[in-house]
């Protein structure tokens, strides 16, 4: 590994996330930000916002990002890594453009970016890169000196991301009634996306059925299932399933849905299920509503014992993984060798998104890639 205290050439880390409302009055404006350009009426947004209103109009994602910021700062300080950590969102305060403006004013010129999405996809990677390009264009129009931003690689198979999820599954299995524990199935869940977007995810060479998005999730599911089998001595049936579908019903999205899967498992005689949200870094609204509320209610209706394992969140091992990612990229930028931690067969992801990686729905500039208009 490179020197654990030398992040050069980077002078700051930016945590880049989705954002979420922090009160009832924020819900519709937040959803207007999320859906801008799609022509969705305000009344429809109020209907969609009912998920947030069930939780007082507050998305948990912002507090979870604050906890992750705190964990990162403590980890960096504890390992002698002098690197300020900032936070910006795509759809709610603190907005990305405002944060980058503040970072420039503070003198930051070389910024590593950690997105709260571990996998390759348009919405999980390319769109964040487009957001970065939009923010840089705004700063350029304001006459500010532009920083260079480098997005850290996908970390879906980094041990600091995978191991906390393995422990979460083991804890959830232990929480099941003993009589159903040995036969419990594992349902690995992630956000459904249009099949066309999945097929085009990742570098062009990986495009095809499911693309990198499905391939990476299947690899993480296999890694966790294998570890659970090794540590419990029990071979458990498992499947990758999907949740949180949105959009027009005539457009094909990845299936099966978690609730349909629970019905199928119950019909086949499965005694219990552990839902494992591998597609999510933290317990944000899709986890709290689609799994903890909707899917758990479906399981109760079926009489099927179910548990939901924890996401990584602000786990100290994930904070350490982020430190690894920063230092390995810093070493690469200085043309020094560095260990690139990755579990499984897929190996570490690319540092620089190539041309044609997770292509946009319509051509738009994207920063931090081979096709970036910003060096």
């Amino acid at each position: 590994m490179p020197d654990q205290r030398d992040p050069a050439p980077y002078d700051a880390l930016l945590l880049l996330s989705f954002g979420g409302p922090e009160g009832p009055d924020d819900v519709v404006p937040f959803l207007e930000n999320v859906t801008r350009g799609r022509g969705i009426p305000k009344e429809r947004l109020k209907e969609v916002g009912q998920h947030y209103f069930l939780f007082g109009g507050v998305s948990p994602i912002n507090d979870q990002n604050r906890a992750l910021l705190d964990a990162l700062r403590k980890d960096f300080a504890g390992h002698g890594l002098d690197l300020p950590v900032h936070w910006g969102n795509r759809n709610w305060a603190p907005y990305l453009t405002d944060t980058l403006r503040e970072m420039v004013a503070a003198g930051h010129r070389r910024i590593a970016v950690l997105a709260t999405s571990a996998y390759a996809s348009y919405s999980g990677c390319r769109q964040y890169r487009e957001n970065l390009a939009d923010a840089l264009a705004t700063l350029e129009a304001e006459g500010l000196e532009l920083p260079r931003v480098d997005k850290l690689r996908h970390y879906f198979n980094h041990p600091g991301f995978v191991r906390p999820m393995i422990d979460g599954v083991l804890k959830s299995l232990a929480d099941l009634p003993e009589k159903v524990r040995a036969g419990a199935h594992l349902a690995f869940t992630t956000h459904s996306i249009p099949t066309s977007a999945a097929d085009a995810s990742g570098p062009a060479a990986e495009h095809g059925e499911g693309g990198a998005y499905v391939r990476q999730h299947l690899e993480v599911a296999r890694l966790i299932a294998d570890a659970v089998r090794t540590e419990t001595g029990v071979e458990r049936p498992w499947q990758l399933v999907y949740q949180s579908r949105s959009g027009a019903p005539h457009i094909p999205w990845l299936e099966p849905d978690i609730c349909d899967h629970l019905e199928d498992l119950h019909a086949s005689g499965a005694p219990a299920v552990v839902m494992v949200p591998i597609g999510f870094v933290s317990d944000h609204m899709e986890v709290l509503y689609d799994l903890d509320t909707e899917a758990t209610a479906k399981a109760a209706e079926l009489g099927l014992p179910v548990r939901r394992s924890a996401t990584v969140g602000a786990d100290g091992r994930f904070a350490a993984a982020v430190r690894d990612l920063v230092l390995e990229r810093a070493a690469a930028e200085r043309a020094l060798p560095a260990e690139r931690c990755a579990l499984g067969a897929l190996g570490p992801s690319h540092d620089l998104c190539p041309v044609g990686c997770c292509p946009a729905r319509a051509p738009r500039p994207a920063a931090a890639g081979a096709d970036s208009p910003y060096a």
Side-chain angles (χ1 to χ4, degrees):
M1 286 294 293
D3 186 329
Q4 291 191 349
R5 296 166 296 178
D6 188 3
Y10 298 111
D11 55 27
L13 174 69
L14 169 62
L15 178 66
L16 177 55
S17 194
F18 192 81
E22 304 218 59
D25 292 341
D26 296 344
V27 172
V28 171
F30 162 73
L31 292 173
E32 287 175 333
N33 288 342
V34 173
T35 62
R36 181 164 285 115
R38 301 183 201 173
I40 300 176
K42 182 171 288 190
E43 290 307 310
R44 173 58 182 153
L45 294 179
K46 290 179 181 178
E47 293 175 18
V48 174
Q50 291 306 312
H51 295 180
Y52 291 96
F53 292 128
L54 288 173
F55 296 89
V58 178
S59 169
I61 193 170
N62 288 333
D63 277 346
Q64 288 161 6
N65 279 328
R66 293 183 183 103
L68 179 55
L69 283 169
D70 184 59
L72 291 171
R73 288 165 178 158
K74 287 179 178 176
D75 178 89
F76 288 6
H79 290 82
L81 183 62
D82 183 16
L83 194 71
V85 185
H86 300 257
W87 168 37
N89 288 326
R90 172 188 293 172
N91 296 303
W92 202 249
Y95 288 103
L96 169 60
T97 302
D98 296 337
T99 298
L100 274 180
R101 187 183 293 111
E102 292 167 2
M103 294 176 78
V104 168
H108 299 308
R109 295 296 180 268
R110 193 72 185 271
I111 299 169
V113 180
L114 176 78
T116 54
S117 175
Y119 302 86
S121 70
Y122 172 76
S123 57
C125 182
R126 171 89 192 190
Q127 193 171 11
Y128 281 116
R129 292 177 49 224
E130 292 176 353
N131 300 147
L132 285 166
D134 290 343
L136 291 171
T138 298
L139 299 189
E140 187 174 39
E142 294 172 358
L144 298 178
E145 183 178 352
L146 295 187
R148 174 169 165 176
V149 296
D150 291 334
K151 182 178 176 293
L152 300 176
R153 67 174 171 92
H154 302 303
Y155 47 84
F156 63 93
N157 56 358
H158 193 290
F161 184 67
V162 176
R163 184 66 229 187
M165 293 191 288
I166 295 169
D167 290 345
V169 173
L170 294 171
K171 183 177 180 180
S172 292
L173 287 168
D175 191 50
L176 282 168
E178 186 175 359
K179 64 180 180 180
V180 300
R181 189 180 303 150
H185 288 230
L186 305 179
F188 295 98
T189 77
T190 190
H191 208 300
S192 183
I193 61 176
T195 56
S196 59
D199 294 346
S201 59
E206 298 181 30
H207 293 177
E209 186 175 356
Y213 186 75
V214 172
R215 189 174 302 114
Q216 291 170 0
H217 280 87
L218 285 172
E219 177 74 346
V220 173
R222 183 191 64 78
L223 288 167
I224 295 173
D226 286 353
V228 170
R229 181 193 67 241
T230 298
E231 296 184 34
T232 64
V234 178
E235 181 81 41
R236 299 179 185 280
W238 63 268
Q239 186 170 338
L240 177 64
V241 300
Y242 302 93
Q243 61 175 91
S244 314
R245 183 202 158 115
S246 60
H250 68 279
I251 297 175
W253 283 53
L254 293 173
E255 296 178 336
D257 178 77
I258 178 61
C259 289
D260 294 337
H261 183 60
L262 293 176
E263 289 185 342
D264 290 343
L265 288 180
H266 178 256
S268 69
V273 182
V274 173
M275 301 182 293
V276 192
I278 60 173
F280 306 91
V281 171
S282 63
D283 291 2
H284 51 69
M285 187 56 68
E286 281 84 352
V287 176
L288 287 190
Y289 183 80
D290 296 331
L291 294 183
D292 292 357
T293 304
E294 193 172 53
T296 300
K298 170 58 70 175
E301 173 190 319
L302 296 168
L304 179 64
V306 68
R307 296 292 186 272
R308 195 269 291 174
S309 68
T311 53
V312 172
D315 189 288
R317 291 166 292 184
F318 181 49
V322 175
R323 171 167 40 88
D324 280 350
L325 293 169
V326 170
L327 291 171
E328 72 167 43
R329 182 63 182 272
E333 294 297 314
R334 302 197 309 271
L336 296 175
E339 180 183 358
R340 293 167 60 82
C341 295
L343 300 174
L346 296 184
S349 185
H350 49 262
D351 280 337
L352 195 67
C353 291
V355 175
C357 192
C358 303
R361 298 159 189 166
R364 284 184 60 191
D371 56 353
S372 172
Y374 302 98

